[in-house]
Amino acid sequence: MSDMGNSVRHYDWCYVSGRVNVLECCLLSSNFFERLLSTDDFKDVLANMNDTPLKAYFTHAKHLYEFEKLLDEYYYNRLYEMRSLSPDSAVCDFFLIRNDFINLKQFAKSKVLGAGAGAFLWGTVSQDRLDDIWQDRVSILPEIFKESISFFKSIINRISKESIPFVIDMIFDGAYLRYMGSICEGTGINVIKTYVKTFQFIKGLEIMRRAMSLKIDMNLFNQYFIEKFDKGNVFYKLTKNTVWASENTLRKIFVETHCNASLQGLLLSNLSRNISFQYEVATDNYLLDMLRPVKYIPFGPERVFGYLSGLATEVFNLKLLLGGKVHRIENNLLRERLRRTYV
């Protein structure tokens, strides 16, 4: 199916695409973030927000100390609005499913270790359904939720208490990445499917890279993160190249996974660096750049998907800078972690 799909289906997206066209005009530019970086006084920070949608959320300097909560409200209000207006929620659920898996991880740790469940994140599954999922009393949710919990319960008596948090993270991180490969398949939109596959690959490498840099027991990693992936999956091949030593091996794997030359170069230049945020900044920028052309599509799911990606990046940058201002972090440290903006 082509990116434009059939016209009948795309006409269903006219109203929400029109709403996106309005909201895109309110997204913040790189110039806004540069101005925010240059301000130190909280009054000046607030003044910079006066001509933006943030004004409704930050009306007093004290609100800067609640920036995470308020920015979550700002982000999820728009995300759920798009979800309610969209003919197919999959393009919006992509931005929510990660929170579902985080909530499940926290819930599993609280059940097994007696620890607090932590703050509940906005997702597609309500908080009061978590125990139903844990007890296998829910049938309408994606099968992968139940599979992950069942897998964890089947091995819990074979692992040490100290390993439980790590094993839970690996099982649910693996499940999340596998689910990413299928969540937007039904849209039939090539640019979204390509983006999701690239996202899955990049984030999987990020998880593996972090495990290696932390000197995690790779036997545990392979058993609980890699276990449920298909035998021919790229992550199986990469675990055999555990020291990231052979560039030729990596290039061969990247070619097999249809990485284009620019992505190959980006990954190879950043995987070996000791500073993990450089990899994350570079790959996040690459992913957002993939979606820039959809701004010129009048209506369709890709238009909504692109806007939500831009909004997610905007909120990340806002949390980074407002947190930096509150905690008096040096501007250069903030600037090198900023992502490129969508507008």
Side-chain angles (χ1 to χ4, degrees), residues 65 79 89 100 136 144 154 157 172 177 219 253-254 280 298 306-307 330 336 341:
Y65 293 99
L79 177 49
S89 69
D100 289 331
D136 197 19
I144 199 161
S154 72
N157 293 325
F172 285 99
L177 284 179
N219 289 325
I253 291 171
F254 292 160
E280 293 166 12
Y307 165 72
E330 183 184 342
E336 63 185 358
T341 59

Side-chain angles (χ1 to χ4, degrees), residues 11-250:
Y11 278 127
D12 292 341
W13 291 85
C14 280
Y15 182 79
V16 67
S17 298
R19 179 67 177 142
V20 162
N21 191 48
V22 173
L23 291 174
E24 270 185 7
C25 297
C26 299
L27 287 176
L28 305 173
S29 68
S30 57
N31 288 337
F32 170 86
F33 289 106
E34 278 297 325
R35 290 197 303 273
L36 203 58
L37 266 174
S38 67
T39 59
D40 292 315
D41 186 274
F42 280 5
K43 290 181 179 179
D44 293 333
V45 172
L46 289 174
N48 271 282
M49 298 186 191
N50 278 342
D51 295 326
T52 76
L54 297 170
K55 182 180 180 180
Y57 295 82
F58 294 87
T59 58
H60 192 280
K62 67 181 180 181
H63 291 148
L64 293 173
Y65 293 99
E66 306 172 60
F67 70 91
E68 288 192 89
K69 174 177 175 268
L70 295 174
L71 287 173
D72 279 344
E73 288 181 17
Y74 168 68
Y75 173 63
Y76 289 109
N77 283 342
R78 280 157 179 72
L79 177 49
Y80 281 108
E81 178 190 0
M82 294 299 101
R83 193 172 188 254
S84 70
L85 296 174
S86 296
D88 181 353
S89 69
V91 295
C92 303
D93 289 351
F94 174 86
F95 301 92
L96 292 167
I97 288 291
R98 178 175 177 270
N99 287 354
D100 289 331
F101 281 99
I102 291 173
N103 288 334
L104 281 171
K105 285 199 289 187
Q106 293 177 339
F107 187 82
K109 290 173 185 177
S110 70
K111 277 288 188 181
V112 177
L113 301 174
F120 182 80
L121 304 178
W122 309 47
T124 66
V125 179
S126 62
Q127 188 168 8
D128 57 3
R129 301 301 297 276
L130 292 179
D131 193 60
D132 289 335
I133 299 172
W134 180 261
Q135 300 294 344
D136 197 19
R137 294 194 296 257
V138 180
S139 59
I140 60 173
L141 292 172
E143 187 66 27
I144 199 161
F145 289 154
K146 294 188 286 185
E147 285 179 2
S148 303
I149 290 173
S150 177
F151 180 40
F152 172 64
K153 287 181 174 179
S154 72
I155 54 88
I156 191 170
N157 293 325
R158 305 201 305 266
I159 56 178
S160 66
K161 186 175 181 180
E162 294 75 21
S163 298
I164 287 175
F166 168 72
V167 169
I168 288 174
D169 286 344
M170 290 300 96
I171 289 174
F172 285 99
D173 284 348
Y176 167 64
L177 284 179
R178 294 197 311 279
Y179 190 54
M180 283 299 96
S182 62
I183 189 172
C184 289
E185 282 293 319
T187 66
I189 304 301
N190 288 337
V191 67
I192 295 179
K193 291 192 291 184
T194 301
Y195 176 95
V196 172
K197 287 178 181 176
T198 307
F199 175 94
Q200 180 190 40
F201 183 47
I202 284 172
K203 296 306 176 183
L205 289 180
E206 189 177 305
I207 291 170
M208 295 178 69
R209 184 186 185 283
R210 189 175 297 122
M212 292 173 187
S213 65
L214 294 174
K215 303 188 185 307
I216 298 294
D217 182 341
M218 293 307 292
N219 289 325
L220 282 178
F221 183 85
N222 292 343
Q223 189 173 358
Y224 298 116
F225 179 75
I226 299 296
E227 177 71 17
K228 296 295 183 177
F229 284 95
D230 295 335
K231 300 295 183 184
N233 189 279
V234 61
F235 298 131
Y236 261 98
K237 298 176 182 179
L238 285 171
T239 52
K240 297 177 183 178
N241 190 42
T242 53
V243 294
W244 306 104
S246 171
E247 184 171 318
N248 286 335
T249 300
L250 284 172

Side-chain angles (χ1 to χ4, degrees), residues 286-336:
Y286 180 91
L287 286 166
L288 194 65
D289 286 344
M290 289 179 66
L291 296 174
R292 293 189 190 283
V294 307
K295 288 188 289 186
Y296 304 104
I297 295 174
F299 46 82
E302 57 269 70
R303 187 70 190 275
V304 177
F305 192 87
Y307 165 72
L308 290 176
S309 296
L311 180 66
T313 300
E314 173 176 289
V315 170
F316 175 90
N317 284 340
L318 285 166
K319 287 184 176 181
L320 177 71
L321 289 197
L322 294 184
K325 295 304 177 183
V326 168
H327 298 293
R328 305 296 180 184
I329 295 173
E330 183 184 342
N331 281 345
N332 286 338
L333 294 177
L334 298 173
R335 182 177 283 106
E336 63 185 358

